[in-house]
Amino acid sequence: MTLAERIKNSTTSIFKAVFPNTTNHYDTLFGGTAMHLMDEVAFITATRFSRQIMVTVSSDRIDFKKPIPAGTIVELIGKVIHVGNTSLKVKVEIYIEQMYAEGRELAVHGDFTFVAIDETKKPVQVIK
């Protein structure tokens, strides 16, 4: 399988509804909840790409472009954007959709770096 095919096959998309129990006093999604969801999607993407044990080692610049209101649907999309020897980088974007209207807009994006490790927690090659 080529690198491009691996990246395409590992791209991950998850939809979530934004309910009031995940929002702050402004009735928008907590930033920490958004980051948690992004890390989860990034982890799934990295694992689907490598099919090995992957751990988050950093999150780079997460930009909150638009607030995410309660009562909306969000789509999180993770895609591998860089592959190193023992690490890879995943870009995650969160899009907002109104429940009862067409259209969507980018709300948040950020990059997450993962390292492949073995059973002894030592780094190993991302691609076997």
Side-chain angles (χ1 to χ4, degrees), residues 107-128:
V108 184
H109 62 86
D111 298 337
F112 295 77
T113 302
F114 288 81
V115 168
I117 59 171
D118 64 16
E119 304 78 27
T120 64
K121 300 184 180 160
K122 299 273 191 271
V124 296
Q125 288 192 339
V126 171
I127 300 174
K128 289 183 181 179

Side-chain angles (χ1 to χ4, degrees), residues 23-112:
T23 63
N24 58 28
H25 57 292
Y26 295 112
D27 209 24
T28 60
L29 187 68
F30 278 114
T33 301
M35 291 167 61
H36 167 88
L37 293 170
M38 292 173 79
D39 187 37
E40 183 177 339
V41 168
F43 165 77
I44 293 168
T45 304
T47 301
R48 292 179 71 211
F49 178 89
S50 69
R51 297 298 176 179
Q52 297 187 79
I53 301 169
M54 301 297 289
V55 293
T56 308
V57 293
S58 72
S59 59
D60 302 336
R61 190 178 173 127
I62 297 175
D63 292 319
F64 294 84
K65 299 292 190 183
K66 295 195 172 291
I68 301 174
T72 57
I73 297 168
V74 292
E75 180 182 17
L76 295 98
I77 302 171
K79 182 175 181 177
V80 174
I81 58 169
H82 175 77
V83 180
N85 186 33
T86 61
S87 67
L88 60 77
K89 190 171 281 201
V90 177
K91 173 175 278 312
V92 179
E93 297 173 323
I94 302 180
Y95 291 89
I96 306 168
E97 295 182 13
Q98 298 303 317
M99 285 200 188
Y100 308 111
E102 296 294 323
R104 60 193 249 142
E105 34 184 355
L106 179 63
V108 184
H109 62 86
D111 298 337
F112 295 77

